[in-house]
Each structure stands twice: as C-alpha cells, then as structure tokens.
Amino acid sequence: MLDMKFIRENLEEAERRLATRGGASFLAGFRDLDERRRALLREGESLKAVKNNVSEEIGKVKDKSQVQDKILEMREVSNRIKALDEELKQVDDELSGVLMTVPNLPDPSTPLGSSENDNVVVRSWGEPQPFAFPAKPHWEIGEGLGILDFERAAKITGARFTLYRGAGARLERALISFMLDLHTEQHGYVEVLPPFMVNRDSMTATGQLPKFEEDLFRLADPDFFLIPTAEVPVTNIHRNEILKRSDLPICYAAYTPCFRREAGSYGKDTRGLIRQHQFNKVEMVKFTHPSESAAELEKLTANAEKVLQLLELPYRVMALCSGDIGFSAAKTYDLEVWLPGQSCYREISSCSTFGDFQARRAGIRFREDEKAKPEFVHTLNGSGLAVGRTVVAVLENFQQADGSVLVPAVLRPYMGGLERIS
RNA sequence: GGAGAGAUGGCCGAGUAGGUCGAAGGCGCUCGCCUGCUAAGCGAGUAUACUGGGAAACCGGUAUCGAGGGUUCGAAUCCCUCUCUCUCCGCCA
C-alpha cells in the first residue's frame, strides 16, 4: 500500500511513476474519494463530540426527567451519526479498494521498460561450458536415471507435480540443507519454519490479496491459503509489531514448499520441473531500517549468488525493468541460471526490496529511539534458491555422456558421500 | 468433537446491578531532583491511528479495553456472532 498522504500531495508524480509499470491509471478516483472521506469524517466526528459532551452532562443529572429533551435530541444526533458512518464506510471501502490494488512505486534505480525484454544484465558469473555430446534437458536425464517420475505424479495428483525417487529425492533434500546451512552459518540468517497455510490477513499484508487470489490455492473450509512463497508467513511474523531500532536488520531464512495455481500459464514449461504447482524453496527475508534497505538488497542478492557459485553453476544477474517487477516490489534482481539442456538462462531466484509497501500494509514499524514516532521498516526477500530449479540446473550442468550426473562437491557431504548419480 | 474458564495499555493487574474510564495500582522505561560512587527516595512523563489548526513546537476532535455487529442519550461493563488462549473429556501424528 502506498502512503495516502504522499499520494494526496504528489498525485501527479505517483501516477507518473506508476505509469512506468504499464497499464491504465491506477489512482483514478483517488482524489475525489479522499476528499469525500475527509468531509464525512469532519462532519461525523464533530457530531460525536457534541454527543459525547451532552451524554456526559446527562450522566451527571440524577433526575432524568429534567433532561428528557436532551435525550431526545441526542437520539436524533445518534441517528445522523449512524447514517454518516455508513456513508463513510462505503467511501472507505471504495478508497481501500483503490489503494489495495495499486502496485508499489518503482524505485528510481529500476530501469524503465515494458517487458522482460527490457531487463538489464547487471553481471554474470561462470562460463557456460560447451558439451562434447548433445546436452539433454533435465526431464530426460531425470527419467533416464529413474529419479524423477512425472507420469506417476500425474496419476497421484495431476499435471505439474513431480515424484522424486531415490537419489533425486535425496538431492532435493541435500540442496535444502545445504542452502539453509549456508545462510544461517555464513550469512547471518535465523532459520525459521513457518506454517505452510496462512489466513487472509497475511496474504493481504504481503500483497497477494486482494488482487491475485486466482493464483493461490485456497482451502474450502477454514478460509486459509496454501503459501505461494515463504515470503508470506515469514514477513507476517512481525505484522502489527513495533520493533526496536537495535533489532534491525532482522534476517530470516526459511525452507517451505510453495503452492501456485499457475493460472494463465497453460502450455508454458509443460515439461519437467520448471513450473510446478508445488515446489520447494529456501527463502531469505529481511526487515531493515529504511536507510539500509538498498545496501541490504545487494547483500541479499549476493547471498543468493553464493549458492550458485558454490554449486559451480553459471548465472547472470538481471535488473528487472519497471514493466516486469512484481506488484509489491520497488526493485528486483533476478538470478538466471544457465541450463545447457535448454540452451538458455532461467530464473532461479528473485531478490526484491519492497520499501515500506508491505510494511505499511502489514503494520511493521520501528522506533528510531525510545521517544520517536514509529516508522515503517523496509522489507526485502529473495529466493536462496528455488530448490526444484536448482535440481534442474545441477542435472543439466553436471550431466555426463553416459547419462549419469556428477554431484557438485559441496553437496556430497549432504548426499552420504555420493559422487555420481547413475 | 463435547464441557467449562478467559482475552484490559510494554508487562502484571483493578474495574462488570452501563455514566465524567484511554481506563486505578504496581512494574518497567524516559527526563529532572537528590544522593560522592550502578541502591533507596522525590517530582514529572510514558499507546496507536485517523482528522482539524499551525512553519514548527504544539493544540483540538474522533476511534481503539481480542475482532465484528447490536441495545442505549451514554458500554471495558448488557446482547449476538467470530477468533484465539487455558482446563477436563474424547480422538490422534
């Protein structure tokens, strides 16, 4: 959510910056609703002030028959207040309907552009190595080795699910442990294991609701949702809290499965592990002082990159353009890993700063010092990494001519010493 | 799932035959005083959001005693619904 006061005072600037995301005017109707809201507030609150005063006087009088006329008068006032409050509620709902569906303002450092074609390569690491044999895509490698079973997963559940088996399942688990250990032991994150289902308030706080409900899996009876990313439960850890300045930055790393409807992606990435309804991810989440969020985004991104470097997987860092960043994001770096089986780079991590956008929705604040007014923190998060896609990258980059796959050295301790999957 | 109890400010904890309660008291914390040495004592202060005025300091209004409705001139106090916590029973990884 954007700051109402900021919009009120800088409507044109806000519109201009939002326009760089593409699409229609996001703030149409804001000014009118805002003014109506404040007019209703003024009128209603001054009537309430009268009512409170008179009621207090009535309370002091022992013999109520002496103030019967005042009681009747206040009954009228009360009715008027009720009517105003109802009107106010309607306007409030409309206004928050506008506010909750307006995306974040892109950070000034976010490159301008309309689609992923306008994203900017910031740097790259490692060289894609030429293969002495035709490189296979991971689904062929995985099925060949008997470690990925897409057909049976489809039988058990449906399309876009995968059954891992043997060394495949172990590889997934090894990657999770490796990533968590790295972030907690080397990068200073606190490991958390949150609920995998969350309520509507949590989904709203991070921005998935109200606008993107169709992307989520929702439970039938309690009004809960399966998390699409650990960002949701972990960011909500501190919802409606006032943190201490000395607590910041707070850094969490969490492994969770992620559940996504992938509505509207029919026909895309239908084969293999790239686009699943359920996948594992290790997520990093930070709560920072506003003045430190830019630097923390760089560190967060570097933390994610470290995973790829240790796994010896070539990748590049992309700065997403204004037309491609997510709803809540102000600035995003995507990490794209090289996939020789498909001869392309694919997103494996997305690292973003949200400024105070999520913090305002979620009510996450801090005090500069004991007496200072609470201010919103900045929230950040990034994948470190998407585990399924990391399996993809390992299988494709470490495949051998005979169809086997070498296990990256850093993973061997997590694989019981296994050096090769064959 | 059944039966019962409860949810008050940073914490603890008063307050229910409705009335001046944003809310006693204690603790904690902040500032000052005192004290020659991290104790005791004294004084003052100590929620948040929205809103009006003001350049600002600040002043005023409204709301908030788990959440949302209702009754009433007036509700922390009465009624309804929901959520959460605790105890007992049942069930269960």
Side-chain angles (χ1 to χ4, degrees):
Chain A
M1 191 163 61
L2 299 179
D3 181 5
M4 270 222 291
K5 285 192 188 118
F6 176 82
I7 301 176
R8 190 179 295 151
E9 286 157 22
N10 306 277
L11 190 60
E12 279 169 26
E13 184 195 339
E15 283 281 38
R16 186 170 44 72
R17 287 173 66 186
L18 286 170
T20 65
R21 285 174 167 272
S25 163
F26 290 101
L27 291 167
F30 171 83
R31 177 143 291 169
D32 180 52
L33 285 168
D34 182 49
E35 279 169 11
R36 276 169 63 201
R37 171 174 170 272
R38 284 189 290 161
L40 286 167
L41 269 178
R42 271 197 299 275
E43 190 180 351
E45 289 185 353
S46 58
L47 282 178
K48 283 175 189 172
V50 170
K51 185 191 73 173
N52 287 343
N53 281 328
V54 175
S55 292
E56 194 178 317
E57 287 172 27
I58 294 173
K60 287 178 186 159
V61 178
K62 291 265 166 56
D63 181 1
K64 299 302 182 213
S65 65
Q66 288 179 4
V67 289
Q68 201 53 36
D69 53 331
K70 279 187 177 167
I71 289 179
L72 290 174
E73 195 188 329
M74 285 310 104
R75 192 174 295 173
E76 300 275 314
V77 171
S78 228
N79 287 336
R80 176 71 185 136
I81 289 171
K82 195 171 288 185
L84 285 171
D85 276 349
E86 273 170 33
E87 202 179 334
L88 176 65
K89 187 175 186 311
Q90 281 192 354
V91 173
D92 260 342
D93 287 349
E94 274 185 68
L95 189 60
S96 69
V98 170
L99 247 32
M100 294 304 273
T101 53
V102 175
N104 200 358
L105 298 174
D107 186 85
S109 65
T110 289
L112 297 179
S114 57
S115 75
E116 61 182 333
N117 298 322
D118 299 317
N119 295 342
V120 175
V121 181
V122 176
R123 60 182 168 271
S124 48
W125 185 93
E127 280 295 319
Q129 297 300 318
F131 279 65
F133 55 93
K136 290 189 284 190
H138 68 279
W139 54 86
E140 285 181 21
I141 302 166
E143 287 182 318
L145 291 168
I147 59 175
L148 297 179
D149 188 339
F150 301 101
E151 278 186 32
R152 287 199 175 92
K155 173 174 70 181
I156 297 167
T157 308
R160 296 201 189 283
F161 287 88
T162 301
L163 170 68
Y164 291 71
R165 185 192 291 274
R170 182 82 185 256
L171 176 61
E172 182 92 3
R173 181 160 57 90
L175 282 166
I176 293 167
S177 293
F178 162 64
M179 292 177 195
L180 279 175
D181 286 353
L182 176 68
H183 296 315
T184 57
E185 292 168 11
Q186 308 292 320
H187 298 155
Y189 293 79
V190 174
E191 182 173 349
V192 292
L193 183 62
F196 300 160
M197 301 177 206
V198 300
N199 58 32
R200 201 167 273 277
D201 285 346
S202 293
M203 280 295 185
T204 305
T206 37
Q208 280 73 21
L209 293 179
K211 213 172 177 181
F212 306 105
E213 184 156 349
E214 68 276 10
D215 294 335
L216 302 168
F217 284 107
R218 189 177 133 202
L219 271 65
D221 187 0
D223 192 27
F224 293 161
F225 297 84
L226 299 183
I227 57 170
T229 159
E231 163 193 347
V232 178
V234 177
T235 304
N236 274 281
I237 289 174
H238 296 298
R239 171 150 53 89
N240 293 331
E241 290 184 11
I242 299 178
L243 305 166
K244 283 194 231 124
R245 173 68 181 94
S246 56
D247 291 338
L248 305 178
I250 296 174
C251 303
Y252 293 126
Y255 150 73
T256 72
C258 303
F259 304 92
R260 299 185 182 179
R261 292 281 288 278
E262 296 297 346
S265 64
Y266 309 110
K268 277 166 68 179
D269 306 313
T270 52
R271 305 207 63 180
L273 285 171
I274 291 292
R275 193 173 298 277
Q276 299 276 289
H277 286 311
Q278 173 190 319
F279 63 95
N280 294 309
K281 183 155 60 70
V282 170
E283 185 78 0
M284 300 171 283
V285 176
K286 292 190 179 193
F287 303 80
T288 77
H289 190 279
S291 68
E292 293 161 0
S293 63
E296 291 293 340
L297 176 62
E298 301 303 321
K299 283 166 70 177
L300 179 78
T301 307
N303 296 154
E305 288 178 60
K306 189 71 180 176
V307 178
L308 289 167
Q309 291 168 10
L310 291 172
L311 290 169
E312 303 167 66
L313 294 168
Y315 68 90
R316 61 184 189 183
V317 181
M318 309 293 289
L320 298 197
C321 74
S322 56
D324 202 31
I325 54 175
F327 177 80
S328 300
K331 180 179 186 177
T332 298
Y333 293 119
D334 270 9
L335 269 46
E336 296 184 343
V337 69
W338 174 249
L339 298 183
Q342 299 160 66
S343 292
C344 64
Y345 282 97
R346 287 306 299 253
E347 175 188 344
I348 196 167
S349 171
S350 192
C351 302
S352 304
T353 177
F354 302 88
D356 61 9
F357 186 86
Q358 290 182 327
R360 180 172 292 105
R361 284 179 164 234
I364 308 170
R365 296 173 291 174
F366 76 100
R367 287 184 213 275
E368 188 68 51
D369 58 69
E370 301 269 357
K371 282 180 283 191
K373 260 183 57 179
E375 298 173 61
F376 292 111
V377 302
H378 281 191
T379 59
L380 300 84
N381 68 58
S383 355
L385 308 165
V387 181
R389 289 189 178 184
T390 308
V391 167
V392 169
V394 167
L395 294 182
E396 295 198 7
N397 281 279
F398 287 85
Q399 62 181 304
Q400 305 298 305
D402 64 0
S404 68
V405 172
L406 289 179
V407 176
V410 290
L411 289 183
R412 290 176 189 172
Y414 293 94
M415 297 281 288
L418 187 69
E419 294 181 6
R420 179 191 293 263
I421 302 172
S422 54

